[in-house]
Amino acid sequence: MESRVAWIRSQCSGTILDVGSADGWIFKGSGLDVTCLDINQFASGEFPRVVGDAHNLPFADESFDITCLCEILEHVHNPILVLREAARVARKKVVFTVPDEGHWTPDHLPLKTLDDWVRETKQTPEQIFKEGNPSNIELNDLKQSFHNRWYTKEILESQLKYLSLPYQIQTIAYDGWSWFCGEILKEGVTKAPEIGLVTLPETTLDSPMLASAIIKFQAEAQPRSLHIDTFPFCNAKCRFCRYHTLTRARSKMEMKLLEHILDDAASWTEPLKAIVPIHYGELFLDPDWYDTLKLIETKLPQTGIVVPTNGAMMDQVTVEKLVTIRTLSIVSFSVNAFFRETYRELMGLDPENIPRIKQAINRLKILRPKVRIWVSMVHSALYQTELEKSLFTEEWRHYTPGTNITTASYCHDYFKPLFKTNVPCRSIFADFVILSDGRVCPCCWDSDGSTIVGDVTREKILDIWHGEAMNNLRELHNSGRRNEVPICSECTFS
């Protein structure tokens, strides 16, 4: 198998912009016409060099034949903006590579955080960077010099789709390494698409931007996923969860209503991508959980089922029943803590659940190796220290590469944000929630259904999705007026 460096060079010709180039190591000795750009300053070398920000490239549209983003998306603050800028300055295509660290062998030290490196080397981040980049002259952005995220193919594709440009991805693996390598194609695209989900005004790095002027989303033709409130009851007491602020009447969704919803989704031109059969609740508390999943599997055979769970009920019998669901796509375990006392206080559950979750994960990997397994922590300084977050990542990466750390968001509870955001919420452009009585609310944070946009007992799902209520809500968000919506005015999610 060729190395990803050989693959990158084979994809490049004409004029090339290497974004995040460091010292230009990828193209050294290649004889190609390369311009290097990096936010940090490196010593002069083989190629012309520019110090600049990948989020706001200092070049006119289509200034280069090819833009390269090689091992950069995992570093930057906002990968979607960087993709947008790379596509803007390229005439023909964007070439990209991203580490697939979930499939690196242990000797290549995958999924290590900056905290891990500092703890193990007993060096400062600056010292670590200088040691790995001896030709660096000036370090301008320490945060972007280290990994800010890890990628799966699904995460990468979720960002690429916002460009509205055709793309290709392949995996190149060799010697214990693995990389996602691909191209975003511009040449030959007959209709000039609207690149990205953002519109950047004329500005400079020294000029602050209005969030409402930068970020604008577009609704897809149909929801990306449906979240269905089949069983709004839970055995956990997670302090950050809005389940505990529910005042609406709670009842199990009738199977007849669920069947009605699934029949509606089955009639769409394109298959629904994903369905989450639980909203504010624990699926495995429902005595009929297996019947619910079997009905979804039967009605929507091309739709992936995503099962979130706290894992407290995941004994061997449950796992062995779960793996018989053919369309099971993702099982996401909410663990949220490394220390036993944090787990007990934060989730209100017995820490002895943790060994049970680990056994369930190992069993799932054996019986259904293609099902993706996630383990998540909702992190806030109110609940866990930075050390606990690092220990959590280190502990669970041995069980699954899908370890997710999510910053806690708040919505009219616990505390209010210091200032109100103008950034539109991406959730209302991608999916929505069907409550157990058939009413539809636009996002998961609206646990009480205070903003109802439709009712599936009287309307088609797509009519609600493209209806006046949803469109008006999206317009308020895109025009920087989300604060006019009560449920959105003090919500920190965007």
Side-chain angles (χ1 to χ4, degrees):
M1 174 67 73
E2 65 179 344
S3 73
R4 95 271 192 195
V5 173
W7 179 86
I8 292 166
R9 294 183 178 188
S10 72
Q11 304 304 307
C12 293
S13 60
T15 56
I16 302 157
L17 175 64
D18 184 10
V19 179
S21 62
D23 62 358
W25 63 275
I26 286 177
F27 291 103
K28 281 183 178 179
S30 65
L32 294 169
D33 183 0
V34 178
T35 298
C36 291
L37 179 140
D38 200 282
I39 198 163
N40 298 314
Q41 188 171 354
F42 288 80
S44 300
E46 185 176 339
F47 306 111
R49 178 168 298 284
V50 176
V51 176
D53 189 344
H55 300 83
N56 194 3
L57 294 173
F59 304 106
D61 294 357
E62 300 189 348
S63 294
F64 300 88
D65 291 316
I66 294 171
T67 308
C68 284
L69 300 174
C70 300
E71 284 95 86
I72 176 176
L73 293 177
E74 66 274 17
H75 289 267
V76 298
H77 298 307
N78 189 325
I80 296 174
L81 279 180
V82 170
L83 286 164
R84 183 262 183 198
E85 280 291 273
R88 179 182 66 79
V89 303
R91 279 188 291 271
K92 296 181 178 179
K93 63 182 178 179
V94 177
V95 174
F96 61 86
T97 61
V98 176
D100 173 23
E101 293 188 53
H103 292 96
W104 287 7
T105 53
D107 56 305
H108 291 315
L109 306 177
L111 306 172
K112 291 179 80 70
T113 67
L114 177 56
D115 288 343
D116 293 334
W117 288 109
V118 170
R119 184 173 61 252
E120 293 173 13
T121 63
K122 305 201 181 328
Q123 295 178 301
T124 67
E126 291 84 355
Q127 289 170 330
I128 295 169
F129 178 79
K130 288 287 188 180
E131 187 176 287
N133 297 271
S135 62
N136 175 252
I137 296 174
E138 184 175 355
L139 180 57
N140 296 320
D141 192 318
L142 181 63
K143 184 173 176 56
Q144 290 191 95
S145 301
F146 294 92
H147 286 200
N148 284 310
R149 66 191 57 81
W150 288 281
Y151 275 92
T152 63
K153 186 177 180 182
E154 290 74 22
I155 292 172
L156 180 59
E157 287 189 318
S158 73
Q159 296 173 357
L160 291 170
K161 71 177 182 180
Y162 286 116
L163 294 184
S164 301
L165 288 168
Y167 62 84
Q168 302 169 351
I169 302 176
Q170 63 175 299
T171 300
I172 292 180
Y174 55 93
D175 298 336
W177 305 98
S178 183
W179 308 85
F180 299 120
C181 303
E183 303 170 288
I184 302 164
L185 306 175
K186 288 189 69 179
E187 192 173 44
V189 176
T190 55
K191 179 178 179 295
E194 195 172 303
I195 297 177
L197 66 157
V198 298
T199 303
L200 284 176
E202 290 296 324
T203 186
T204 68
L205 288 177
D206 298 324
S207 173
M209 300 179 184
L210 287 172
S212 58
I214 301 176
I215 310 296
K216 296 186 187 298
F217 291 90
Q218 287 184 330
E220 300 182 24
Q222 63 188 46
R224 177 188 59 191
S225 62
L226 289 179
H227 296 242
I228 304 181
D229 188 36
T230 61
F231 190 80
F233 303 93
C234 190
N235 54 340
K237 297 180 175 61
C238 304
R239 291 174 179 257
F240 49 78
C241 182
R242 283 186 59 83
Y243 173 82
H244 308 292
T245 65
L246 278 174
T247 60
R248 64 178 167 93
R250 283 180 286 169
S251 62
K252 180 178 173 178
M253 179 177 281
E254 295 181 3
M255 201 64 78
K256 184 177 179 180
L257 175 55
L258 176 60
E259 188 169 1
H260 170 77
I261 294 167
L262 300 176
D263 284 339
D264 186 344
S267 69
W268 299 354
T269 303
E270 294 292 328
L272 175 65
K273 292 181 180 178
I275 188 166
V276 186
I278 197 74
H279 182 43
Y280 280 105
E282 171 56 44
L283 180 68
F284 299 109
L285 274 181
D286 182 0
D288 302 316
W289 70 265
Y290 184 74
D291 294 335
T292 295
L293 297 189
K294 285 300 289 184
L295 181 62
I296 296 171
E297 174 194 80
T298 302
K299 295 286 186 178
L300 300 175
Q302 295 179 275
T303 299
I305 298 175
V306 179
V307 175
T309 176
N310 58 47
M313 311 284 289
M314 291 286 280
D315 57 20
Q316 184 173 337
V317 173
T318 300
V319 172
E320 291 184 356
K321 288 179 69 176
L322 180 62
V323 297
T324 66
I325 303 298
R326 184 178 54 82
T327 54
L328 182 66
S329 174
I330 297 170
V331 181
S332 178
F333 292 90
S334 296
V335 177
N336 297 310
F338 175 80
F339 297 117
R340 295 171 63 90
E341 54 269 38
T342 308
Y343 183 83
R344 182 183 289 109
E345 290 297 322
L346 179 57
M347 298 192 66
L349 294 172
D350 186 345
E352 291 307 314
N353 290 333
I354 303 300
R356 185 181 299 114
I357 291 171
K358 291 177 178 179
Q359 291 170 6
I361 289 174
N362 288 334
R363 193 77 176 151
L364 283 165
K365 289 194 294 187
I366 293 170
L367 297 175
R368 289 291 298 276
K370 292 186 178 180
V371 170
R372 299 196 297 280
I373 298 170
W374 296 345
V375 177
S376 66
M377 167 187 276
V378 176
H379 177 261
S380 168
L382 292 174
Y383 311 129
Q384 312 102 331
T385 64
E386 288 293 319
L387 173 62
E388 182 159 12
K389 182 172 71 171
S390 297
L391 291 171
F392 177 91
T393 303
E394 177 67 21
E395 172 74 9
W396 288 99
R397 74 181 181 89
H398 299 294
Y399 291 88
T400 172
T403 303
N404 299 319
I405 307 291
T406 304
T407 301
S409 295
Y410 301 92
C411 183
H412 286 270
D413 48 14
Y414 308 114
F415 67 84
K416 295 181 179 181
L418 294 177
F419 60 89
K420 296 183 178 181
T421 180
N422 285 326
V423 178
C425 178
R426 62 185 181 272
S427 176
I428 61 174
F429 295 84
D431 42 44
F432 56 21
V433 177
I434 302 175
L435 300 178
S436 58
D437 60 2
R439 294 179 301 151
V440 177
C441 59
C443 81
C444 64
W445 283 102
D446 193 1
S447 54
D448 268 329
S450 65
T451 304
I452 296 299
V453 295
D455 189 327
V456 296
T457 65
R458 300 193 299 267
E459 304 165 85
K460 294 288 189 181
I461 295 173
L462 292 186
D463 290 340
I464 299 171
W465 181 249
H466 294 292
E468 183 179 2
M470 283 297 290
N471 286 336
N472 288 345
L473 180 63
R474 292 173 184 135
E475 176 56 29
L476 286 171
H477 275 247
N478 268 343
S479 59
R481 296 160 58 205
R482 67 179 284 173
N483 292 322
E484 296 178 23
V485 184
I487 190 66
C488 306
S489 63
E490 291 181 357
C491 181
T492 65
F493 186 82
S494 64

